[in-house]
Amino acid sequence: GEDVEQSLFLSVREGDSSVINCTYTDSSSTYLYWYKQEPGAGLQLLTYIFSNMDMKQDQRLTVLLNKKDKHLSLRIADTQTGDSAIYFCADYNTDKLIFGTGTRLQVFP
Amino acid sequence: DTGVSQNPRHKITKRGQNVTFRCDPISEHNRLYWYRQTLGQGPEFLTYFQNEAQLEKSRLLSDRFSAERPKGSFSTLEIQRTEQGDSAMYLCASSSSLRAGAKDYGYTFGSGTRLTVV
């Protein structure tokens, strides 16, 4: 079946940029998403990218897509303590989202 | 519209008991999804509905699990004869297939129901 993989942890200093990486196996992906999950909460849609795009910028968020390598990344500029959360990438496949295991981002002062 | 609502927020049950969770989606969304999330993992797809029709069920959904969406609005997920391995967060999400666009394919999630089987 389709698979989405992420590194488990990322730790950054407040004010620095964070880059969260994701790889996927589905060669027919149309849309790829990034979600944020804070403790005890559901998932919040952050941003998305269409598969024919290489980059999308949305305020502090930049999504890069390398379709050839099936690699997706999320860059958060000027990372704040409020950005501490788990970030999931997800691949839209046959009418449903397939999620990665999540990357826990810890921001320290 | 207040978003996707799930009840209860927490459920503790004894092994072997039956439990039922409810999800109220965003009213104009015709698709409703159930996912299960265990500690340290991403959400795993269980099943989804388009209107009242259940269109896909994961192999994770054993015979002890059943989901319904009788009028194409709210949905229930029932687990019979619960086992300790069923302990997880059960997430509901809704979306619309009626408008073309990536944002609309992205789900709106509820806060989840945390099930603990003791």
Side-chain angles (χ1 to χ4, degrees), chain A residues 55-86:
Chain A
M55 185 182 83
K56 179 181 179 183
Q57 186 145 5
D58 186 356
Q59 299 182 337
R60 291 191 299 124
L61 305 178
T62 303
V63 179
L64 295 178
L65 175 61
N66 181 328
K67 197 172 179 181
K68 175 176 168 290
D69 294 339
K70 300 192 183 73
H71 182 268
L72 183 73
S73 68
L74 174 69
R75 177 178 180 270
I76 306 173
D78 187 25
T79 313
Q80 303 297 308
T81 54
D83 295 324
S84 294
I86 301 175

PDB file of all heavy atoms in Angstrom, chain A residues 55-86:
ATOM      1  N   MET A  55       6.668  24.717  -5.475  1.00  0.00           N
ATOM      2  CA  MET A  55       6.786  25.481  -4.255  1.00  0.00           C
ATOM      3  C   MET A  55       5.486  26.236  -4.004  1.00  0.00           C
ATOM      4  O   MET A  55       4.796  26.663  -4.943  1.00  0.00           O
ATOM      5  CB  MET A  55       7.942  26.484  -4.348  1.00  0.00           C
ATOM      6  CG  MET A  55       8.204  27.244  -3.071  1.00  0.00           C
ATOM      7  SD  MET A  55       9.515  28.467  -3.202  1.00  0.00           S
ATOM      8  CE  MET A  55       8.614  29.836  -3.902  1.00  0.00           C
ATOM      9  N   LYS A  56       5.199  26.398  -2.736  1.00  0.00           N
ATOM     10  CA  LYS A  56       4.073  27.235  -2.347  1.00  0.00           C
ATOM     11  C   LYS A  56       4.440  27.970  -1.068  1.00  0.00           C
ATOM     12  O   LYS A  56       4.954  27.352  -0.130  1.00  0.00           O
ATOM     13  CB  LYS A  56       2.823  26.383  -2.126  1.00  0.00           C
ATOM     14  CG  LYS A  56       1.621  27.201  -1.700  1.00  0.00           C
ATOM     15  CD  LYS A  56       0.424  26.331  -1.469  1.00  0.00           C
ATOM     16  CE  LYS A  56      -0.743  27.194  -1.010  1.00  0.00           C
ATOM     17  NZ  LYS A  56      -1.940  26.382  -0.684  1.00  0.00           N
ATOM     18  N   GLN A  57       4.185  29.269  -1.046  1.00  0.00           N
ATOM     19  CA  GLN A  57       4.486  30.048   0.156  1.00  0.00           C
ATOM     20  C   GLN A  57       3.190  30.581   0.737  1.00  0.00           C
ATOM     21  O   GLN A  57       2.305  31.052   0.013  1.00  0.00           O
ATOM     22  CB  GLN A  57       5.422  31.203  -0.188  1.00  0.00           C
ATOM     23  CG  GLN A  57       5.896  31.957   1.024  1.00  0.00           C
ATOM     24  CD  GLN A  57       7.323  32.467   0.890  1.00  0.00           C
ATOM     25  OE1 GLN A  57       7.931  32.337  -0.157  1.00  0.00           O
ATOM     26  NE2 GLN A  57       7.838  33.046   1.939  1.00  0.00           N
ATOM     27  N   ASP A  58       3.092  30.492   2.054  1.00  0.00           N
ATOM     28  CA  ASP A  58       1.902  30.951   2.754  1.00  0.00           C
ATOM     29  C   ASP A  58       2.364  31.554   4.064  1.00  0.00           C
ATOM     30  O   ASP A  58       2.554  30.851   5.055  1.00  0.00           O
ATOM     31  CB  ASP A  58       0.955  29.770   2.990  1.00  0.00           C
ATOM     32  CG  ASP A  58      -0.381  30.194   3.587  1.00  0.00           C
ATOM     33  OD1 ASP A  58      -0.555  31.392   3.883  1.00  0.00           O
ATOM     34  OD2 ASP A  58      -1.248  29.314   3.759  1.00  0.00           O
ATOM     35  N   GLN A  59       2.588  32.874   4.078  1.00  0.00           N
ATOM     36  CA  GLN A  59       3.090  33.609   5.245  1.00  0.00           C
ATOM     37  C   GLN A  59       4.408  32.991   5.700  1.00  0.00           C
ATOM     38  O   GLN A  59       5.369  32.996   4.946  1.00  0.00           O
ATOM     39  CB  GLN A  59       2.032  33.647   6.338  1.00  0.00           C
ATOM     40  CG  GLN A  59       0.757  34.350   5.863  1.00  0.00           C
ATOM     41  CD  GLN A  59      -0.303  34.448   6.938  1.00  0.00           C
ATOM     42  OE1 GLN A  59      -0.338  33.679   7.898  1.00  0.00           O
ATOM     43  NE2 GLN A  59      -1.185  35.427   6.800  1.00  0.00           N
ATOM     44  N   ARG A  60       4.493  32.467   6.909  1.00  0.00           N
ATOM     45  CA  ARG A  60       5.773  31.917   7.391  1.00  0.00           C
ATOM     46  C   ARG A  60       6.050  30.508   6.867  1.00  0.00           C
ATOM     47  O   ARG A  60       7.119  29.952   7.122  1.00  0.00           O
ATOM     48  CB  ARG A  60       5.796  31.888   8.920  1.00  0.00           C
ATOM     49  CG  ARG A  60       5.851  33.264   9.580  1.00  0.00           C
ATOM     50  CD  ARG A  60       6.143  33.160  11.077  1.00  0.00           C
ATOM     51  NE  ARG A  60       5.123  32.410  11.795  1.00  0.00           N
ATOM     52  CZ  ARG A  60       5.366  31.335  12.541  1.00  0.00           C
ATOM     53  NH1 ARG A  60       6.591  30.872  12.671  1.00  0.00           N
ATOM     54  NH2 ARG A  60       4.370  30.736  13.186  1.00  0.00           N
ATOM     55  N   LEU A  61       5.094  29.937   6.167  1.00  0.00           N
ATOM     56  CA  LEU A  61       5.224  28.551   5.712  1.00  0.00           C
ATOM     57  C   LEU A  61       5.629  28.491   4.241  1.00  0.00           C
ATOM     58  O   LEU A  61       5.050  29.194   3.414  1.00  0.00           O
ATOM     59  CB  LEU A  61       3.899  27.802   5.892  1.00  0.00           C
ATOM     60  CG  LEU A  61       3.292  27.801   7.284  1.00  0.00           C
ATOM     61  CD1 LEU A  61       1.964  27.054   7.275  1.00  0.00           C
ATOM     62  CD2 LEU A  61       4.231  27.186   8.296  1.00  0.00           C
ATOM     63  N   THR A  62       6.605  27.641   3.945  1.00  0.00           N
ATOM     64  CA  THR A  62       6.992  27.378   2.559  1.00  0.00           C
ATOM     65  C   THR A  62       6.988  25.867   2.350  1.00  0.00           C
ATOM     66  O   THR A  62       7.621  25.133   3.123  1.00  0.00           O
ATOM     67  CB  THR A  62       8.391  27.928   2.240  1.00  0.00           C
ATOM     68  OG1 THR A  62       8.428  29.320   2.509  1.00  0.00           O
ATOM     69  CG2 THR A  62       8.745  27.676   0.777  1.00  0.00           C
ATOM     70  N   VAL A  63       6.260  25.435   1.351  1.00  0.00           N
ATOM     71  CA  VAL A  63       6.218  24.017   1.009  1.00  0.00           C
ATOM     72  C   VAL A  63       7.025  23.809  -0.271  1.00  0.00           C
ATOM     73  O   VAL A  63       6.835  24.531  -1.244  1.00  0.00           O
ATOM     74  CB  VAL A  63       4.773  23.529   0.802  1.00  0.00           C
ATOM     75  CG1 VAL A  63       4.768  22.048   0.434  1.00  0.00           C
ATOM     76  CG2 VAL A  63       3.943  23.773   2.046  1.00  0.00           C
ATOM     77  N   LEU A  64       7.928  22.829  -0.234  1.00  0.00           N
ATOM     78  CA  LEU A  64       8.689  22.454  -1.417  1.00  0.00           C
ATOM     79  C   LEU A  64       8.345  21.027  -1.798  1.00  0.00           C
ATOM     80  O   LEU A  64       8.271  20.149  -0.936  1.00  0.00           O
ATOM     81  CB  LEU A  64      10.195  22.559  -1.142  1.00  0.00           C
ATOM     82  CG  LEU A  64      10.735  23.954  -0.864  1.00  0.00           C
ATOM     83  CD1 LEU A  64      12.229  23.881  -0.554  1.00  0.00           C
ATOM     84  CD2 LEU A  64      10.491  24.883  -2.043  1.00  0.00           C
ATOM     85  N   LEU A  65       8.131  20.804  -3.085  1.00  0.00           N
ATOM     86  CA  LEU A  65       7.801  19.468  -3.573  1.00  0.00           C
ATOM     87  C   LEU A  65       8.768  19.066  -4.674  1.00  0.00           C
ATOM     88  O   LEU A  65       8.916  19.765  -5.677  1.00  0.00           O
ATOM     89  CB  LEU A  65       6.370  19.434  -4.109  1.00  0.00           C
ATOM     90  CG  LEU A  65       5.924  18.119  -4.762  1.00  0.00           C
ATOM     91  CD1 LEU A  65       5.990  16.967  -3.765  1.00  0.00           C
ATOM     92  CD2 LEU A  65       4.518  18.253  -5.336  1.00  0.00           C
ATOM     93  N   ASN A  66       9.424  17.938  -4.473  1.00  0.00           N
ATOM     94  CA  ASN A  66      10.276  17.321  -5.487  1.00  0.00           C
ATOM     95  C   ASN A  66       9.563  16.052  -5.917  1.00  0.00           C
ATOM     96  O   ASN A  66       9.661  15.003  -5.271  1.00  0.00           O
ATOM     97  CB  ASN A  66      11.661  17.012  -4.916  1.00  0.00           C
ATOM     98  CG  ASN A  66      12.590  16.396  -5.953  1.00  0.00           C
ATOM     99  OD1 ASN A  66      12.152  15.681  -6.849  1.00  0.00           O
ATOM    100  ND2 ASN A  66      13.872  16.666  -5.818  1.00  0.00           N
ATOM    101  N   LYS A  67       8.822  16.161  -7.006  1.00  0.00           N
ATOM    102  CA  LYS A  67       7.970  15.044  -7.408  1.00  0.00           C
ATOM    103  C   LYS A  67       8.801  13.864  -7.899  1.00  0.00           C
ATOM    104  O   LYS A  67       8.426  12.708  -7.715  1.00  0.00           O
ATOM    105  CB  LYS A  67       6.995  15.506  -8.485  1.00  0.00           C
ATOM    106  CG  LYS A  67       5.830  14.566  -8.675  1.00  0.00           C
ATOM    107  CD  LYS A  67       4.803  15.148  -9.603  1.00  0.00           C
ATOM    108  CE  LYS A  67       3.659  14.145  -9.769  1.00  0.00           C
ATOM    109  NZ  LYS A  67       2.640  14.648 -10.693  1.00  0.00           N
ATOM    110  N   LYS A  68       9.937  14.165  -8.506  1.00  0.00           N
ATOM    111  CA  LYS A  68      10.801  13.090  -9.023  1.00  0.00           C
ATOM    112  C   LYS A  68      11.282  12.201  -7.884  1.00  0.00           C
ATOM    113  O   LYS A  68      11.262  10.977  -7.986  1.00  0.00           O
ATOM    114  CB  LYS A  68      11.985  13.700  -9.766  1.00  0.00           C
ATOM    115  CG  LYS A  68      13.038  12.706 -10.249  1.00  0.00           C
ATOM    116  CD  LYS A  68      14.104  13.431 -11.060  1.00  0.00           C
ATOM    117  CE  LYS A  68      15.306  12.529 -11.315  1.00  0.00           C
ATOM    118  NZ  LYS A  68      16.077  12.284 -10.092  1.00  0.00           N
ATOM    119  N   ASP A  69      11.682  12.838  -6.770  1.00  0.00           N
ATOM    120  CA  ASP A  69      12.176  12.076  -5.615  1.00  0.00           C
ATOM    121  C   ASP A  69      11.067  11.750  -4.627  1.00  0.00           C
ATOM    122  O   ASP A  69      11.332  11.136  -3.589  1.00  0.00           O
ATOM    123  CB  ASP A  69      13.277  12.860  -4.904  1.00  0.00           C
ATOM    124  CG  ASP A  69      14.519  13.019  -5.767  1.00  0.00           C
ATOM    125  OD1 ASP A  69      14.686  12.208  -6.711  1.00  0.00           O
ATOM    126  OD2 ASP A  69      15.297  13.956  -5.523  1.00  0.00           O
ATOM    127  N   LYS A  70       9.854  12.202  -4.906  1.00  0.00           N
ATOM    128  CA  LYS A  70       8.715  12.005  -3.986  1.00  0.00           C
ATOM    129  C   LYS A  70       9.078  12.521  -2.593  1.00  0.00           C
ATOM    130  O   LYS A  70       8.922  11.831  -1.581  1.00  0.00           O
ATOM    131  CB  LYS A  70       8.284  10.544  -3.943  1.00  0.00           C
ATOM    132  CG  LYS A  70       7.832   9.978  -5.290  1.00  0.00           C
ATOM    133  CD  LYS A  70       7.157   8.641  -5.094  1.00  0.00           C
ATOM    134  CE  LYS A  70       6.761   8.025  -6.412  1.00  0.00           C
ATOM    135  NZ  LYS A  70       7.895   7.510  -7.182  1.00  0.00           N
ATOM    136  N   HIS A  71       9.547  13.750  -2.560  1.00  0.00           N
ATOM    137  CA  HIS A  71       9.987  14.365  -1.317  1.00  0.00           C
ATOM    138  C   HIS A  71       9.258  15.695  -1.130  1.00  0.00           C
ATOM    139  O   HIS A  71       9.191  16.530  -2.041  1.00  0.00           O
ATOM    140  CB  HIS A  71      11.503  14.600  -1.359  1.00  0.00           C
ATOM    141  CG  HIS A  71      12.044  15.189  -0.106  1.00  0.00           C
ATOM    142  ND1 HIS A  71      12.182  16.547   0.078  1.00  0.00           N
ATOM    143  CD2 HIS A  71      12.464  14.608   1.045  1.00  0.00           C
ATOM    144  CE1 HIS A  71      12.673  16.769   1.283  1.00  0.00           C
ATOM    145  NE2 HIS A  71      12.857  15.617   1.886  1.00  0.00           N
ATOM    146  N   LEU A  72       8.725  15.866   0.050  1.00  0.00           N
ATOM    147  CA  LEU A  72       7.966  17.062   0.427  1.00  0.00           C
ATOM    148  C   LEU A  72       8.603  17.663   1.666  1.00  0.00           C
ATOM    149  O   LEU A  72       9.035  16.910   2.563  1.00  0.00           O
ATOM    150  CB  LEU A  72       6.518  16.658   0.732  1.00  0.00           C
ATOM    151  CG  LEU A  72       5.513  17.739   1.091  1.00  0.00           C
ATOM    152  CD1 LEU A  72       5.143  18.552  -0.129  1.00  0.00           C
ATOM    153  CD2 LEU A  72       4.269  17.091   1.690  1.00  0.00           C
ATOM    154  N   SER A  73       8.685  18.980   1.719  1.00  0.00           N
ATOM    155  CA  SER A  73       9.198  19.596   2.944  1.00  0.00           C
ATOM    156  C   SER A  73       8.349  20.798   3.320  1.00  0.00           C
ATOM    157  O   SER A  73       7.696  21.417   2.475  1.00  0.00           O
ATOM    158  CB  SER A  73      10.668  20.006   2.785  1.00  0.00           C
ATOM    159  OG  SER A  73      10.795  21.058   1.858  1.00  0.00           O
ATOM    160  N   LEU A  74       8.378  21.082   4.617  1.00  0.00           N
ATOM    161  CA  LEU A  74       7.678  22.241   5.162  1.00  0.00           C
ATOM    162  C   LEU A  74       8.707  23.083   5.899  1.00  0.00           C
ATOM    163  O   LEU A  74       9.350  22.592   6.828  1.00  0.00           O
ATOM    164  CB  LEU A  74       6.573  21.806   6.129  1.00  0.00           C
ATOM    165  CG  LEU A  74       5.860  22.939   6.878  1.00  0.00           C
ATOM    166  CD1 LEU A  74       5.007  23.763   5.924  1.00  0.00           C
ATOM    167  CD2 LEU A  74       5.014  22.384   8.025  1.00  0.00           C
ATOM    168  N   ARG A  75       8.866  24.324   5.471  1.00  0.00           N
ATOM    169  CA  ARG A  75       9.779  25.228   6.156  1.00  0.00           C
ATOM    170  C   ARG A  75       8.951  26.253   6.918  1.00  0.00           C
ATOM    171  O   ARG A  75       8.044  26.881   6.367  1.00  0.00           O
ATOM    172  CB  ARG A  75      10.695  25.920   5.155  1.00  0.00           C
ATOM    173  CG  ARG A  75      11.649  26.935   5.775  1.00  0.00           C
ATOM    174  CD  ARG A  75      12.572  27.538   4.705  1.00  0.00           C
ATOM    175  NE  ARG A  75      13.484  28.513   5.259  1.00  0.00           N
ATOM    176  CZ  ARG A  75      13.225  29.823   5.352  1.00  0.00           C
ATOM    177  NH1 ARG A  75      12.078  30.307   4.919  1.00  0.00           N
ATOM    178  NH2 ARG A  75      14.110  30.648   5.872  1.00  0.00           N
ATOM    179  N   ILE A  76       9.278  26.398   8.198  1.00  0.00           N
ATOM    180  CA  ILE A  76       8.628  27.399   9.028  1.00  0.00           C
ATOM    181  C   ILE A  76       9.670  28.458   9.335  1.00  0.00           C
ATOM    182  O   ILE A  76      10.689  28.177   9.983  1.00  0.00           O
ATOM    183  CB  ILE A  76       8.088  26.799  10.341  1.00  0.00           C
ATOM    184  CG1 ILE A  76       7.168  25.605  10.052  1.00  0.00           C
ATOM    185  CG2 ILE A  76       7.357  27.862  11.156  1.00  0.00           C
ATOM    186  CD1 ILE A  76       6.739  24.857  11.303  1.00  0.00           C
ATOM    187  N   ALA A  77       9.440  29.679   8.855  1.00  0.00           N
ATOM    188  CA  ALA A  77      10.382  30.771   9.124  1.00  0.00           C
ATOM    189  C   ALA A  77      10.119  31.362  10.497  1.00  0.00           C
ATOM    190  O   ALA A  77       8.979  31.339  10.998  1.00  0.00           O
ATOM    191  CB  ALA A  77      10.235  31.841   8.048  1.00  0.00           C
ATOM    192  N   ASP A  78      11.184  31.873  11.126  1.00  0.00           N
ATOM    193  CA  ASP A  78      11.049  32.564  12.416  1.00  0.00           C
ATOM    194  C   ASP A  78      10.212  31.724  13.392  1.00  0.00           C
ATOM    195  O   ASP A  78       9.170  32.148  13.891  1.00  0.00           O
ATOM    196  CB  ASP A  78      10.411  33.941  12.198  1.00  0.00           C
ATOM    197  CG  ASP A  78      10.375  34.791  13.448  1.00  0.00           C
ATOM    198  OD1 ASP A  78      11.221  34.577  14.345  1.00  0.00           O
ATOM    199  OD2 ASP A  78       9.477  35.658  13.557  1.00  0.00           O
ATOM    200  N   THR A  79      10.679  30.519  13.642  1.00  0.00           N
ATOM    201  CA  THR A  79       9.913  29.577  14.460  1.00  0.00           C
ATOM    202  C   THR A  79       9.695  30.125  15.866  1.00  0.00           C
ATOM    203  O   THR A  79      10.624  30.643  16.497  1.00  0.00           O
ATOM    204  CB  THR A  79      10.655  28.229  14.536  1.00  0.00           C
ATOM    205  OG1 THR A  79      11.068  27.845  13.226  1.00  0.00           O
ATOM    206  CG2 THR A  79       9.746  27.155  15.108  1.00  0.00           C
ATOM    207  N   GLN A  80       8.458  29.986  16.345  1.00  0.00           N
ATOM    208  CA  GLN A  80       8.069  30.477  17.664  1.00  0.00           C
ATOM    209  C   GLN A  80       7.737  29.297  18.585  1.00  0.00           C
ATOM    210  O   GLN A  80       7.450  28.192  18.120  1.00  0.00           O
ATOM    211  CB  GLN A  80       6.851  31.401  17.538  1.00  0.00           C
ATOM    212  CG  GLN A  80       7.076  32.590  16.608  1.00  0.00           C
ATOM    213  CD  GLN A  80       8.178  33.497  17.145  1.00  0.00           C
ATOM    214  OE1 GLN A  80       8.132  33.922  18.308  1.00  0.00           O
ATOM    215  NE2 GLN A  80       9.177  33.792  16.305  1.00  0.00           N
ATOM    216  N   THR A  81       7.710  29.574  19.885  1.00  0.00           N
ATOM    217  CA  THR A  81       7.382  28.498  20.832  1.00  0.00           C
ATOM    218  C   THR A  81       5.982  27.951  20.567  1.00  0.00           C
ATOM    219  O   THR A  81       5.713  26.771  20.796  1.00  0.00           O
ATOM    220  CB  THR A  81       7.497  28.985  22.281  1.00  0.00           C
ATOM    221  OG1 THR A  81       6.689  30.153  22.444  1.00  0.00           O
ATOM    222  CG2 THR A  81       8.935  29.333  22.629  1.00  0.00           C
ATOM    223  N   GLY A  82       5.092  28.788  20.063  1.00  0.00           N
ATOM    224  CA  GLY A  82       3.747  28.325  19.736  1.00  0.00           C
ATOM    225  C   GLY A  82       3.697  27.373  18.558  1.00  0.00           C
ATOM    226  O   GLY A  82       2.659  26.757  18.294  1.00  0.00           O
ATOM    227  N   ASP A  83       4.816  27.225  17.857  1.00  0.00           N
ATOM    228  CA  ASP A  83       4.887  26.266  16.753  1.00  0.00           C
ATOM    229  C   ASP A  83       5.206  24.857  17.242  1.00  0.00           C
ATOM    230  O   ASP A  83       5.158  23.906  16.448  1.00  0.00           O
ATOM    231  CB  ASP A  83       5.948  26.702  15.734  1.00  0.00           C
ATOM    232  CG  ASP A  83       5.605  28.007  15.033  1.00  0.00           C
ATOM    233  OD1 ASP A  83       4.409  28.238  14.760  1.00  0.00           O
ATOM    234  OD2 ASP A  83       6.527  28.811  14.776  1.00  0.00           O
ATOM    235  N   SER A  84       5.533  24.721  18.518  1.00  0.00           N
ATOM    236  CA  SER A  84       5.817  23.392  19.072  1.00  0.00           C
ATOM    237  C   SER A  84       4.569  22.519  18.958  1.00  0.00           C
ATOM    238  O   SER A  84       3.511  22.873  19.470  1.00  0.00           O
ATOM    239  CB  SER A  84       6.239  23.507  20.545  1.00  0.00           C
ATOM    240  OG  SER A  84       7.463  24.174  20.657  1.00  0.00           O
ATOM    241  N   ALA A  85       4.705  21.406  18.268  1.00  0.00           N
ATOM    242  CA  ALA A  85       3.556  20.532  17.990  1.00  0.00           C
ATOM    243  C   ALA A  85       4.070  19.334  17.201  1.00  0.00           C
ATOM    244  O   ALA A  85       5.274  19.213  16.957  1.00  0.00           O
ATOM    245  CB  ALA A  85       2.488  21.266  17.181  1.00  0.00           C
ATOM    246  N   ILE A  86       3.145  18.470  16.815  1.00  0.00           N
ATOM    247  CA  ILE A  86       3.487  17.384  15.896  1.00  0.00           C
ATOM    248  C   ILE A  86       2.950  17.766  14.512  1.00  0.00           C
ATOM    249  O   ILE A  86       1.801  18.200  14.386  1.00  0.00           O
ATOM    250  CB  ILE A  86       2.886  16.046  16.349  1.00  0.00           C
ATOM    251  CG1 ILE A  86       3.391  15.695  17.748  1.00  0.00           C
ATOM    252  CG2 ILE A  86       3.267  14.933  15.366  1.00  0.00           C
ATOM    253  CD1 ILE A  86       2.771  14.454  18.340  1.00  0.00           C
TER     254      ILE A  86
END
